[in-house]
C-alpha cells in the first residue's frame, strides 16, 4: 500500500533524527529514556479485565498511553533499522515491551482487533530476536506474553484458536528450553500457568491441563521457591484440579494427589502470610478436597472439609482486607455454599455426632455474626440452633434455645416486629415453654431475662409505644 506524502516526510524526518542520535553516540542515553517511558505505561502486573482496574483509568488516560506507546515503539524501530549492529538486544526488548504494553491498554479498551494487529506487527522481528539472543529470557517471555494476549483477544472475539495454540506451543518450547537454566525456571512456569488459566477460563479444559502440567513439571525442579511464587503455584495447582475434574475421562488418582499437594501448599502459605487471601485460598482448597470426597459418598470427611473451610472464612473476618476479590459478599457466598454439606452430615449422624456438629457450626456462625451481620447466615444460625434444641438434653438444650431466642431478639432490634420474625419467635416460645417451665431455676440469669423479654414482646405486640420501649431495652440487654 502506497504511503501518502505526509507519512513519507515524517518517516524521512525520523530517519534523520535516528541517524543523528547514532552519529553522535547518544544511543545509550536515548534507549535509557525509552526504557523509562515504557515503564511509565506498564500495567503488565494488573488484571486487564478487572472492573476495578478499568475504573481507575479514564478514556483520556487510555488514549494518551496508546499514542505515546506507539511513538515509543516507532522511535525504537527506527533506531534498530538505522543501526542494526548496536544495542540489538535492548532494541528488540523495547520493541516487544512497548508492544506488550500497547496490547494491555487496548485490552482495557476492549479493542481486540487492535490487540491482534499489534501482535502481528512484531512478527518481522521475532526470528532475528530469538536467533541472536537464544539465552535472553526477557525477550522470549515478552514474545510469549504477546502471543498469550493475542490468544485472549481471539477468544473474546469468538474466533477459532487452534492455529494460535500451535504458535503458542512453539514459544512455550523456548520457555521450556530457557527453564533448563535454574534462574529462568520460576518465570517460565508462571508464564505457562497464566496461559493455562486463560484457556481454563474459556472452558478449554483439555488444552489447559496440558499447560498446567508443563508449568508444574518445571516448578517441581526448582530448589528454592520464594513465598510469592509458592502462592502463585498453589493457585495454578488449584485451577489444574478444577480443570481435571471438568475433563472426561477423569484421572482420579492424579486429582487426589494434586489436591493433597494443593492443601499442603496452601497450609504452608497460610502459615507464612496469615492474611485474608491465604485464609480464603486454603478454604477453597478444602472445597476441592470435598468435591473429590463426594464422589465416594464420604459424608463425614466432606463435612470435616467444609467445617475447616468455614472456620477459615470466620478467621478472615477478623483480619484487615483491601483486596476486592475477597470482599465480604464473596466470603459470605462461599460460606453459604458450605451449609448443605453440613446439613447432610447432621441428618445422617448419630445423636452425639449431631450435637457436636451443631455446636461447632453454631460457635463459628455466632462468631461471624458478631463481626459481619448477614441475614442468610442468621437464618442458618437459627435453624441449626432449633435443631440443636430439639435434639439435646437439658444443659445443651438451654444453650441452643437461647442462641436462637437472642438471635431473634437482635433481629427485632434491627428490623422491629416484621411478620416472619414475630411468628418465628412466637413459635419458638410455644415449642420451648414446657422445657423452660421445668428448668426455670436452672437457667442462667441472662437467659431468664431474654425469655421474659421475648414473652413481653409477643404479649404487647399491638402496643406500638410499649413495643419501642421493649426494643430499646433489648438493645441494651443483648450482648452479641
Amino acid at each position: 500500500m502506497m504511503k501518502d506524502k505526509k507519512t513519507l516526510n515524517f518517516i524521512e524526518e525520523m530517519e534523520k533524527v535516528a541517524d543523528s542520535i547514532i552519529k553522535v553516540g547518544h544511543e545509550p542515553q536515548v534507549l535509557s529514556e525509552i526504557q523509562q517511558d515504557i515503564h511509565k505505561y506498564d500495567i503488565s502486573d494488573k488484571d486487564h479485565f478487572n472492573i476495578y482496574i478499568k475504573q481507575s483509568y479514564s478514556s483520556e488516560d487510555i488514549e494518551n498511553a496508546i499514542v505515546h506507546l506507539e511513538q515509543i515503539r516507532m522511535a525504537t524501530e527506527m533506531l534498530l533499522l538505522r543501526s542494526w549492529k548496536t544495542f540489538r538486544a535492548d532494541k528488540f526488548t523495547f520493541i516487544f515491551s512497548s508492544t506488550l504494553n500497547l496490547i494491555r491498554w487496548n485490552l482495557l479498551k476492549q479493542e481486540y482487533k487492535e490487540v491482534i494487529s499489534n501482535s502481528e506487527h512484531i512478527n518481522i522481528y521475532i526470528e532475528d530476536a530469538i536467533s541472536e539472543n537464544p539465552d535472553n529470557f526477557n525477550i522470549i517471555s515478552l514474545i510469549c506474553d504477546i502471543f498469550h494476549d493475542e490468544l485472549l483477544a481471539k477468544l473474546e472475539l469468538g474466533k477459532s484458536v487452534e492455529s494460535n495454540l500451535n504458535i503458542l506451543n512453539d514459544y512455550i518450547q523456548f520457555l521450556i528450553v530457557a527453564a533448563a537454566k535454574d534462574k529462568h525456571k520460576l518465570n517460565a512456569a508462571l508464564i505457562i500457568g497464566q496461559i493455562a488459566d486463560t484457556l481454563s477460563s474459556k472452558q478449554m479444559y483439555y488444552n489447559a491441563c496440558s499447560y498446567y502440567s508443563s508449568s508444574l513439571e518445571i516448578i517441581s525442579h526448582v530448589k528454592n521457591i520464594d513465598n510469592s511464587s509458592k502462592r502463585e503455584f498453589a493457585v495454578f495447582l488449584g485451577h489444574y484440579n478444577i480443570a481435571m475434574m471438568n475433563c472426561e475421562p477423569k484421572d482420579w488418582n492424579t486429582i487426589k494427589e494434586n489436591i493433597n499437594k494443593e492443601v499442603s501448599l496452601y497450609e504452608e502459605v497460610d502459615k507464612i502470610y496469615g492474611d485474608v487471601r491465604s485464609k480464603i485460598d486454603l478454604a477453597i482448597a478444602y472445597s476441592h478436597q470435598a468435591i473429590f470426597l463426594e464422589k465416594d459418598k464420604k459424608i463425614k470427611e466432606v463435612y470435616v472439609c467444609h467445617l475447616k473451610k468455614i472456620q477459615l472464612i470466620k478467621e478472615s473476618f477478623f483480619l484487615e482486607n483491601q483486596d476486592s476479590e475477597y470482599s465480604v459478599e464473596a466470603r459470605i457466598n462461599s460460606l453459604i455454599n458450605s451449609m448443605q454439606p453440613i446439613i447432610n452430615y447432621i441428618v445422617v449422624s448419630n445423636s452425639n455426632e449431631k450435637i457436636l456438629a451443631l455446636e461447632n457450626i453454631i460457635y463459628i456462625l455466632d462468631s461471624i455474626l458478631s463481626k459481619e451481620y448477614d441475614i442468610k447466615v442468621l437464618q442458618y444460625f437459627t435453624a441449626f440452633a432449633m435443631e440443636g434444641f430439639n435434639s439435646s438434653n437439658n444443659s445443651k438444650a438451654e444453650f441452643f434455645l437461647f442462641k436462637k431466642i437472642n438471635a431473634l431478639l437482635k433481629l427485632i432490634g434491627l428490623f422491629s416486629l416484621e411478620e416472619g420474625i414475630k411468628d418465628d419467635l412466637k413459635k419458638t416460645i410455644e415449642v420451648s415453654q414446657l422445657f423452660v417451665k421445668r428448668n426455670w431455676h436452672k437457667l442462667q440469669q441472662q437467659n431468664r431475662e431474654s425469655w421474659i423479654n421475648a414473652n413481653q414482646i409477643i404479649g404487647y405486640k399491638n402496643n406500638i409505644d410499649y413495643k419501642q420501649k421493649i426494643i430499646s431495652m433489648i438493645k441494651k440487654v443483648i450482648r452479641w
Side-chain angles (χ1 to χ4, degrees):
M1 184 176 178
M2 293 281 294
K3 291 184 173 67
D4 60 46
K5 188 174 181 179
K6 186 176 179 181
T7 303
L8 288 170
N9 288 339
F10 176 73
I11 292 173
E12 186 177 336
E13 195 64 33
M14 287 284 290
E15 288 174 341
K16 288 178 181 178
V17 172
D19 288 340
S20 175
I21 290 168
I22 294 162
K23 185 176 180 179
V24 298
H26 285 172
E27 265 192 296
Q29 296 96 311
V30 172
L31 289 171
S32 177
E33 290 172 8
I34 285 173
Q35 184 178 28
Q36 291 173 26
D37 287 342
I38 291 171
H39 184 70
K40 285 180 191 174
Y41 300 104
D42 186 3
I43 54 170
S44 59
D45 62 336
K46 295 179 172 65
D47 176 358
H48 322 299
F49 292 96
N50 186 317
I51 189 163
Y52 298 98
I53 298 300
K54 289 180 185 178
Q55 289 174 348
S56 63
Y57 298 106
S58 67
S59 57
E60 185 179 352
D61 291 333
I62 296 172
E63 289 299 334
N64 182 60
I66 289 171
V67 168
H68 279 83
L69 285 164
E70 285 173 343
Q71 293 171 348
I72 291 166
R73 183 174 67 182
M74 185 183 298
T76 313
E77 288 176 314
M78 192 61 68
L79 285 172
L80 176 66
L81 295 173
R82 302 306 286 179
S83 179
W84 186 258
K85 294 181 179 179
T86 56
F87 308 104
R88 274 181 292 187
D90 288 338
K91 291 171 186 176
F92 282 129
T93 299
F94 298 154
I95 289 169
F96 296 141
S97 57
S98 59
T99 299
L100 180 60
N101 286 341
L102 256 175
I103 282 171
R104 299 284 164 89
W105 285 97
N106 276 302
L107 285 175
L108 272 183
K109 197 179 174 184
Q110 297 183 330
E111 291 285 354
Y112 303 121
K113 290 182 180 179
E114 286 297 317
V115 170
I116 295 167
S117 174
N118 277 296
S119 178
E120 291 172 347
H121 178 88
I122 63 157
N123 285 339
I124 58 174
Y125 302 111
I126 289 175
E127 188 176 345
D128 288 329
I130 291 177
S131 62
E132 293 186 20
N133 304 276
D135 190 40
N136 190 318
F137 184 82
N138 193 28
I139 286 176
I140 294 169
S141 63
L142 283 167
I143 292 169
C144 288
D145 282 344
I146 289 168
F147 274 96
H148 166 253
D149 286 354
E150 180 185 355
L151 168 65
L152 198 153
K154 287 183 175 179
L155 290 170
E156 291 295 325
L157 291 171
K159 293 188 175 185
S160 170
V161 296
E162 290 305 319
S163 61
N164 211 60
L165 280 175
N166 291 334
I167 294 169
L168 264 178
N169 284 331
D170 290 340
Y171 291 98
I172 291 300
Q173 291 310 307
F174 283 108
L175 281 174
I176 291 171
V177 170
K181 298 179 181 293
D182 283 345
K183 64 179 181 178
H184 297 325
K185 277 186 170 65
L186 281 172
N187 286 335
L190 281 168
I191 293 167
I192 296 171
Q194 287 162 2
I195 292 168
D197 277 351
T198 296
L199 295 171
S200 188
S201 70
K202 299 300 177 181
Q203 300 182 340
M204 301 175 67
Y205 299 116
Y206 182 81
N207 298 106
C209 284
S210 174
Y211 286 101
Y212 283 129
S213 180
S214 296
S215 175
L216 295 167
E217 172 61 23
I218 292 171
I219 196 61
S220 69
H221 297 291
V222 178
K223 294 177 182 176
N224 297 307
I225 305 176
D226 62 274
N227 293 335
S228 177
S229 297
K230 282 181 183 177
R231 184 172 241 173
E232 291 301 322
F233 287 109
V235 172
F236 291 146
L237 195 54
H239 292 176
Y240 184 21
N241 290 331
I242 292 299
M244 281 195 294
M245 284 190 274
N246 278 285
C247 287
E248 293 294 346
K250 295 178 181 15
D251 182 355
W252 286 113
N253 288 332
T254 302
I255 292 171
K256 179 181 179 180
E257 182 181 341
N258 278 0
I259 286 175
N260 289 338
K261 287 180 182 177
E262 180 191 358
V263 170
S264 296
L265 192 51
Y266 271 131
E267 286 175 340
E268 188 177 343
V269 169
D270 186 40
K271 286 179 182 177
I272 294 167
Y273 289 99
D275 57 6
V276 170
R277 179 181 171 184
S278 69
K279 300 291 179 192
I280 302 306
D281 285 345
L282 180 54
I284 292 169
Y286 282 127
S287 283
H288 295 167
Q289 198 167 57
I291 292 170
F292 175 79
L293 292 166
E294 280 172 359
K295 78 178 181 66
D296 293 327
K297 311 294 184 187
K298 295 181 177 179
I299 295 176
K300 183 172 183 178
E301 288 86 344
V302 171
Y303 156 76
V304 170
C305 286
H306 282 281
L307 193 66
K308 289 178 179 178
K309 173 187 170 184
I310 63 173
Q311 173 66 31
L312 286 159
I313 294 173
K314 182 206 83 172
E315 292 172 14
S316 78
F317 284 119
F318 293 86
L319 298 170
E320 289 187 15
N321 178 48
Q322 296 179 339
D323 194 328
S324 59
E325 186 180 349
Y326 304 96
S327 66
V328 170
E329 183 182 4
R331 283 178 277 166
I332 290 293
N333 289 337
S334 182
L335 176 77
I336 297 303
N337 289 336
S338 288
M339 291 299 100
Q340 191 56 53
I342 301 291
I343 294 168
N344 292 345
Y345 173 68
I346 289 170
V347 167
V348 300
S349 298
N350 63 40
S351 180
N352 290 335
E353 289 173 337
K354 177 186 286 191
I355 295 302
L356 181 59
L358 287 166
E359 272 190 290
N360 287 334
I361 192 68
I362 283 291
Y363 278 123
I364 295 173
L365 296 185
D366 196 8
S367 181
I368 290 171
L369 287 165
S370 72
K371 189 70 177 175
E372 295 292 340
Y373 177 81
D374 182 87
I375 188 66
K376 298 187 294 295
V377 175
L378 194 76
Q379 287 170 339
Y380 277 107
F381 178 83
T382 56
F384 285 131
M386 202 63 202
E387 178 64 24
F389 171 74
N390 290 329
S391 306
S392 301
N393 58 29
N394 286 356
S395 62
K396 295 293 183 184
E398 179 184 356
F399 166 79
F400 286 116
L401 173 63
F402 285 96
K403 283 294 182 183
K404 177 170 185 181
I405 287 176
N406 287 334
L408 292 174
L409 289 175
K410 180 174 183 179
L411 266 180
I412 292 168
L414 290 169
F415 301 112
S416 190
L417 275 176
E418 291 187 1
E419 202 64 32
I421 305 172
K422 179 184 72 176
D423 289 345
D424 195 359
L425 182 59
K426 187 175 181 180
K427 185 176 179 181
T428 302
I429 289 172
E430 289 172 354
V431 169
S432 60
Q433 201 158 21
L434 183 59
F435 166 80
V436 172
K437 185 176 181 180
R438 287 176 176 172
N439 295 280
W440 181 256
H441 65 287
K442 297 179 183 178
L443 299 183
Q444 295 180 32
Q445 181 60 34
Q446 62 187 26
N447 289 338
R448 293 181 191 178
E449 291 174 3
S450 294
W451 179 259
I452 292 168
N453 293 338
N455 278 271
Q456 285 178 325
I457 286 174
I458 297 303
Y460 293 95
K461 58 184 179 295
N462 294 319
N463 187 326
I464 302 300
D465 293 334
Y466 190 76
K467 184 178 72 178
Q468 293 303 321
K469 291 179 183 178
I470 293 293
I471 290 170
S472 177
M473 180 173 62
I474 290 167
K475 288 181 178 179
K476 292 178 182 178
V477 170
I478 297 299
R479 296 290 182 269
W480 197 285

